[in-house]
């Protein structure tokens, strides 16, 4: 069979691209349903973009690559489309926008947009091989037990990254890009919980607190969650993108509090009170109890010297912990790294190595912060490729 444009992957980027790529578009996916990651995202409500998209909140070897697509198809464009589709949404925190109802509404909107554009969708379809012969991509597909050879002028790689293999994530985009001469930058799990050997934080499992997590000159002031495997919560997921094996993560457990000043004042006004009792006014009781033996918190405030107050403040505001690893692709929200962007047009997402080949979404070496940034990259890069293909 012949088609003008073949899109591999019916995820966020692939569906967005199909909605704009013009006639003769076929999208194939090996999953039974499109947009599975959209469905489970944001606790089922999909954090579909962020009001405060900033270029420096995306990581990749080329810190400028993503600017063009994000400037031409912005969060405001996607918000306008969502609103036009009648999907109610709200801002949760830090500019993060979620559906009031269900993430399924976003999938339905994208499916409807694809249908309106005349794009076909083949699910449960495997990609067996890809070739390029006489200026056409020749892709062998396996569908309902039948092998189908599809010839296409344009081939769009939209199969995402390696995170959550259980949901069908594969390295297919990397393999095909490599086949056509593209470099793949180092890939690693990102936006992922960090683990600690020996069940270090097991006794604190379930405790949540506000914290500032810092590593490699970057800090995130968000919630921190202790788990039986280590540390999680938004501040940790965010910092995991900057953390490398062997690095320590510094935790400020009282980011908004000048605890040294408070302890000095309480030593004067309430000297008989226990240090632990005062600390429990500022952080979770279970955390204080856990730290008490090591930090000598079962003592009266009146006994504290200036040096002890300084040392306590340091221990609580600059607690250096060294993760042994991360939970890996099993739970990572995204893959850091991907198809190197040096041989991709930032305007059209087309390959400089093989005309007609496009790479979009998470498959590229562009990774956003937690908070709607990764979906916005999928929408913007998918739109940029779709638009370019339609205008050809
Ligand atoms: P995907 O959405 O991953 O789509 C890739 C598609 O390709 C899939 O449909 C897959 O089945 C298909 N595919 C893969 N391999 C093959 C193959 N070999 N053959 C055929 N088809 C294949 N980002 C946010 O911005 N906000 C959030 O709230 C958010 N929450 C998330 C929650 C979770 C649990 C996870 C895992 C991720 C979350 N993300 C979130 C990240 C976001 O889901 C991704 O960045 C985004 O989906 C990437 O879009 P994509 O189209 O590039 O890839």
């Amino acid at each position: 069979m012949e088609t003008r444009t073949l899109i591999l992957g019916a995820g966020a980027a692939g569906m967005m691209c199909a909605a704009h790529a013009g006639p003769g578009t076929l999208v194939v996916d090996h999953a039974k349903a499109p947009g599975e990651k959209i469905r489970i995202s944001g606790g089922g409500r999909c954090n579909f973009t962020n009001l405060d998209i900033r270029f420096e909140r995306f990581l990749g070897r080329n810190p400028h690559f993503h600017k063009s697509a994000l400037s031409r198809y912005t969060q405001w464009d996607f918000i306008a489309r969502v609103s036009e589709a009648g999907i109610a949404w709200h801002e949760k925190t830090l500019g993060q926008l979620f559906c009031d109802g269900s993430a399924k509404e976003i999938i339905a909107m994208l499916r409807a947009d694809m249908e309106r554009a005349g794009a076909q969708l083949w699910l449960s379809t495997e990609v067996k091989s890809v070739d390029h012969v006489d200026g056409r991509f020749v892709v062998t597909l396996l569908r309902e037990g039948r092998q189908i050879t599809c010839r296409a002028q344009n081939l769009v790689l939209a199969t995402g990254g390696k995170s959550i293999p259980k949901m069908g994530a594969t390295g297919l985009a990397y393999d095909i890009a490599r086949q056509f001469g593209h470099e793949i930058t180092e890939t690693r799990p990102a936006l992922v919980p960090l683990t600690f050997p020996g069940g270090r934080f097991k006794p604190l499992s379930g405790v949540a607190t506000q914290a500032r997590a810092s590593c490699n000159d970057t800090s995130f002031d968000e919630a921190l969650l202790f788990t039986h495997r280590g540390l999680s919560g938004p501040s940790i997921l965010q910092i995991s993108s900057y953390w490398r094996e062997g690095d320590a993560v510094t935790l400020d457990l009282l980011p908004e509090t000048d605890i040294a000043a408070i302890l000095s004042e309480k030593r004067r006004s309430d000297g008989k009170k226990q240090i632990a009792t005062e600390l429990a006014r500022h952080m979770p009781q279970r955390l204080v109890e856990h730290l008490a033996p090591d930090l000598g918190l079962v003592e009266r405030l009146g006994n504290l010297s200036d040096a002890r107050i300084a040392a306590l403040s340091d221990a609580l505001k600059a607690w250096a912990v060294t993760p042994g690893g991360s939970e890996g692709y099993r739970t990572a929200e995204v893959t850091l790294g991907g198809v190197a962007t040096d041989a991709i047009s930032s305007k059209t997402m087309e390959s400089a190595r093989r005309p007609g080949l496009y790479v979009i979404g998470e498959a590229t070496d562009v990774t956003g912060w937690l908070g709607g940034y990764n979906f916005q990259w999928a929408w913007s890069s998918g739109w940029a490729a779709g638009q370019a293909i339609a205008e050809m």
Side-chain angles (χ1 to χ4, degrees):
M1 66 159 298
E2 296 271 342
T3 188
R4 183 168 175 267
T5 303
L6 176 61
I7 300 176
L8 304 183
M15 286 200 279
M16 188 68 178
C17 183
H20 293 92
T25 299
L26 169 65
V27 190
V28 302
D29 201 298
H30 64 177
K32 287 196 191 98
E36 280 292 89
K37 278 196 185 160
I38 300 175
R39 186 177 58 80
I40 61 156
S41 68
R45 292 224 160 97
C46 186
N47 176 195
F48 56 82
T49 192
N50 195 292
L51 291 174
D52 201 13
I53 296 285
R54 294 190 206 179
F55 299 141
E56 63 273 20
R57 295 178 176 177
F58 292 82
L59 293 87
R61 196 162 68 187
N62 178 349
H64 306 293
F65 177 80
H66 50 279
K67 292 181 180 174
S68 173
L70 288 172
S71 308
R72 288 184 307 126
Y73 189 89
T74 67
Q75 69 271 40
W76 310 115
D77 294 314
F78 195 75
I79 293 166
R81 178 69 200 105
V82 166
S83 300
E84 190 188 55
I87 300 172
W89 51 268
H90 62 279
E91 180 187 353
K92 202 167 174 187
T93 175
L94 302 170
Q96 301 167 6
L97 302 192
F98 288 75
C99 299
D100 286 358
S102 160
K104 288 181 191 161
E105 295 173 76
I106 300 283
I107 302 173
M109 176 191 88
L110 292 167
R111 277 194 90 150
D113 288 353
M114 278 170 60
E115 271 167 36
R116 205 172 303 115
Q120 276 195 76
L121 174 61
W122 286 6
L123 297 166
S124 305
T125 303
E126 276 177 53
V127 181
K128 299 310 267 183
S129 68
V130 176
D131 221 330
H132 195 247
V133 183
D134 299 332
R136 286 265 184 290
F137 292 94
V138 181
V139 181
T140 308
L141 303 169
L142 189 64
R143 186 178 190 227
E144 291 165 357
R146 276 196 319 128
Q147 198 153 296
I148 300 165
T149 302
C150 177
R151 287 182 181 73
Q153 190 182 329
N154 306 301
L155 180 69
V156 183
L157 307 182
T159 53
K162 292 197 272 192
S163 48
I164 325 253
K166 242 185 170 174
M167 290 191 68
T170 66
L172 183 68
Y174 308 145
D175 296 340
I176 300 173
R178 218 180 262 120
Q179 180 186 338
F180 290 110
H182 285 270
E183 183 201 348
I184 312 301
T185 64
E186 185 203 355
T187 52
R188 51 182 290 124
L191 300 183
V192 64
L194 297 172
T195 56
F196 290 77
R200 177 166 177 193
F201 296 116
K202 217 171 177 176
L204 286 171
S205 180
V207 172
T209 189
Q210 191 69 18
R212 179 176 302 137
S214 308
C215 189
N216 292 318
D217 301 324
T218 308
S219 296
F220 291 97
D221 228 342
E222 289 185 61
L224 169 88
L225 177 69
F226 293 90
T227 72
H228 63 287
R229 298 170 127 259
L231 297 175
S232 187
S235 65
I236 294 299
L237 299 186
Q238 295 277 35
I239 208 67
S240 73
S241 298
Y242 296 83
W243 175 82
R244 293 295 178 273
E245 282 70 13
D247 289 343
V249 173
T250 304
L251 301 176
D252 181 346
L253 298 173
L254 295 160
E256 301 298 333
T257 310
D258 183 349
I259 196 66
I262 291 173
L263 292 178
S264 299
E265 151 59 18
K266 292 287 170 183
R267 174 177 60 182
R268 199 176 49 77
S269 64
D270 211 355
K272 287 194 179 138
K273 195 181 197 180
Q274 267 199 3
I275 307 166
T277 311
E278 179 56 30
L279 284 181
R281 294 184 58 227
H282 307 280
M283 55 204 286
Q285 172 89 31
R286 270 180 68 199
L287 184 52
V288 175
E289 283 166 10
H290 179 80
L291 296 170
D294 282 352
L295 300 183
L297 304 181
V298 192
E299 234 186 281
R300 294 188 194 288
L301 283 160
N303 294 343
L304 283 175
S305 64
D306 286 348
R308 278 270 335 266
I309 288 180
L312 264 180
S313 170
D314 252 15
L316 297 169
K317 291 184 74 68
W319 186 18
V321 294
T322 305
S326 80
E327 288 192 6
Y329 289 118
R330 191 178 61 81
T331 62
E333 280 201 13
V334 285
T335 304
L336 197 64
V339 180
T341 52
D342 53 352
I344 301 174
S345 158
S346 61
K347 189 158 179 258
T348 64
M349 310 306 291
E350 188 176 12
S351 161
R353 302 258 186 274
R354 188 65 54 136
L357 182 69
Y358 296 77
V359 193
I360 57 176
E362 202 183 315
T364 59
D365 176 21
V366 175
T367 307
W369 279 10
L370 185 79
Y373 297 89
N374 287 295
F375 276 137
Q376 186 59 45
W377 173 243
W379 316 136
S380 298
S381 59
W383 177 89
Q387 192 70 13
I389 291 168
E391 283 173 3
M392 257 173 26

